[in-house]
């Protein structure tokens, strides 16, 4: 299987769905593919349950090492207030990240 | 920091560095969990050595560490200082978070083979008498919770922070 079969958008949606199911405090998940390496998934997760005074910092996880779907997942957890500041441009995203081309991954409504 | 604490801290830093490498590489979950559990246990013991006597040899580290950090035996001022080191405005906020994350912390420390009750652990096939599964091929529910939910990710960051900032509260 070639690297071209790795479907980043689809895997990002799978993560977003799973994270929302796992963590009810999530308000929104934004997917930021612009400028990311092909096998890197960048998510900003807006979470209403974050406490503490620390500034947000991303955490990265390697996934499926040694398989055709090997990729890196990076999650940037922020409070709703921090997300507003990011949108306003007063709180920076991690270096190299951009909101350009980003989209919110919403849960599909059940019929 | 006494000399025993320094030795346990050095080992915790080394284990944590390996954990970060493994986490970024995405190897089998058992290895990431094994090193995270070991790093947590060692920083816990480094802290518990502050009394000058050896903590228990068994894997009881992380929960006891969290409880010791928030101990009512410490002065309000000291608890306030510790909360601040861990980025909480008040000790009560840190206590609330520890309460929330305790099930994960328990699960992590119980992954050690001698605490795993002959079930899933990060090192050896189980059950011992009649092995049916091995760690490398096992999908650990705990890893999914550490990776896929904010409280889990925050526990991972907390353990890393506890090791990085040890000199400030040892």
């Amino acid at each position: 299987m070639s690297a071209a079969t790795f479907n980043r958008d689809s895997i990002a949606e799978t993560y977003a769905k799973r994270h929302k199911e796992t963590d009810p405090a999530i308000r929104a998940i934004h997917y930021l593919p612009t400028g990311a390496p092909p096998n890197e998934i960048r998510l900003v997760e807006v979470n209403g349950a974050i406490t503490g005074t620390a500034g947000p910092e991303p955490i990265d996880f390697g996934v499926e090492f040694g398989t055709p779907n090997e990729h890196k997942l990076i999650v940037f957890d922020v409070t709703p207030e921090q997300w507003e500041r990011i949108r306003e441009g007063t709180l920076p995203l991690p270096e190299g990240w951009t909101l350009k081309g980003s989209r919110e991954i919403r849960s599909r409504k059940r019929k | 920091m006494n000399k025993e604490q320094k030795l346990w801290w050095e080992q915790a830093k080394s284990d944590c560095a390996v954990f970060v490498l493994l986490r970024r590489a995405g190897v089998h979950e058992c290895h990431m969990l094994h090193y995270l559990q070991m790093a947590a246990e060692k920083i816990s013991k480094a802290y518990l050595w502050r009394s000058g006597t050896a903590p228990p040899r068994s894997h009881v580290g992380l929960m006891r560490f969290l409880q010791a950090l928030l101990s009512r035996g410490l002065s309000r001022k000291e608890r306030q200082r510790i909360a601040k080191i861990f980025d909480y405005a008040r000790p009560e906020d840190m206590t609330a978070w520890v309460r929330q994350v305790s099930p994960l912390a328990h699960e992590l420390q119980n992954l050690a083979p001698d605490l795993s009750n002959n079930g899933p652990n990060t090192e050896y096939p189980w059950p011992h008498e009649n092995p049916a599964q091995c760690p490398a091929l096992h999908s650990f529910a705990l890893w999914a919770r550490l990776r896929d939910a904010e409280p889990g990710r925050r526990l991972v960051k907390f353990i890393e922070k506890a090791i990085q900032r040890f000199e400030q509260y040892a």
Side-chain angles (χ1 to χ4, degrees):
Chain A
M1 195 184 289
S2 71
T5 61
F6 173 75
N7 188 332
R8 183 168 65 174
D9 295 354
S10 166
I11 292 178
E13 290 203 14
T14 302
Y15 278 121
K17 183 171 180 282
R18 189 189 307 161
H19 289 193
K20 282 180 180 172
E21 285 170 359
T22 311
D23 191 344
I26 289 177
R27 304 267 182 90
I29 297 180
H30 300 270
Y31 170 47
L32 282 63
T34 304
N39 283 40
E40 184 172 298
I41 295 169
R42 298 171 173 177
L43 299 178
V44 178
E45 301 201 358
V46 186
N47 194 306
I50 296 175
T51 56
T53 58
E57 52 183 314
I59 184 165
D60 57 331
F61 299 90
V63 186
E64 297 198 43
F65 174 73
T67 76
N69 280 328
E70 180 175 342
H71 61 279
K72 181 178 279 191
L73 168 69
I74 311 182
V75 182
F76 192 51
D77 291 298
V78 300
T79 65
E81 295 75 24
Q82 287 166 340
W83 173 242
E84 278 312 305
R85 290 176 55 207
I86 288 169
R87 281 161 51 109
E88 290 164 0
T90 57
L91 181 69
L93 286 164
E95 196 174 336
W97 289 33
T98 175
L99 290 181
K100 194 176 168 186
S102 70
R103 66 180 170 88
E104 182 178 351
I105 301 179
R106 296 175 188 274
S107 306
R108 289 200 181 98
K109 285 182 184 167
R110 290 183 184 178
K111 289 180 181 175
Chain B
M1 187 187 312
N2 60 42
K3 68 176 176 31
E4 291 85 1
Q5 286 186 289
K6 176 100 168 55
L7 291 170
W8 281 95
W9 180 42
E10 289 297 339
Q11 196 58 39
K13 283 193 287 185
S14 179
D15 286 354
C16 189
V18 176
F19 165 68
V20 172
L21 284 175
L22 297 176
R23 189 190 83 209
R24 291 183 169 155
V27 297
H28 289 133
E29 294 170 6
C30 61
H31 300 302
M32 297 189 275
L33 285 167
H34 181 53
Y35 272 89
L36 182 63
Q37 183 269 324
M38 290 204 300
E41 182 185 336
K42 280 156 196 165
I43 198 60
S44 304
K45 287 186 175 164
Y47 187 68
L48 297 174
W49 255 108
R50 74 203 304 259
S51 66
T53 57
R57 197 182 278 270
S58 57
H59 301 270
V60 291
L62 185 56
M63 277 313 299
R64 192 174 288 193
F65 170 52
L66 294 172
Q67 288 157 0
L69 276 177
L70 298 162
S71 168
R72 291 271 165 195
L74 300 173
S75 67
R76 168 84 195 174
K77 194 177 169 189
E78 179 61 3
R79 290 193 299 126
Q80 182 74 47
R81 195 182 73 84
I82 288 173
K84 207 169 174 186
I85 290 168
F86 286 94
D87 300 314
Y88 288 91
R90 302 176 310 148
E92 292 77 11
D93 298 338
M94 188 166 160
T95 302
W97 177 73
V98 166
R99 201 170 293 136
Q100 181 195 3
V101 88
S102 290
L104 289 174
H106 268 296
E107 258 186 78
L108 183 63
Q109 75 181 25
N110 289 346
L111 280 177
D114 55 345
L115 293 178
S116 66
N117 202 22
N118 213 10
N121 71 87
T122 56
E123 293 181 71
Y124 308 116
W126 68 86
H128 178 72
E129 305 74 18
N130 184 23
Q133 294 190 67
C134 72
L137 300 181
H138 185 67
S139 182
F140 288 85
L142 175 60
W143 183 250
R145 287 162 67 204
L146 292 173
R147 190 190 65 190
D148 294 333
E150 191 277 332
R153 292 190 289 273
R154 199 173 345 161
L155 179 62
V156 172
K157 289 178 189 172
F158 178 91
I159 293 167
E160 294 178 9
K161 206 180 284 183
I163 293 168
Q164 289 160 8
R165 300 180 182 177
F166 186 62
E167 283 174 300
Q168 297 177 45
Y169 64 90

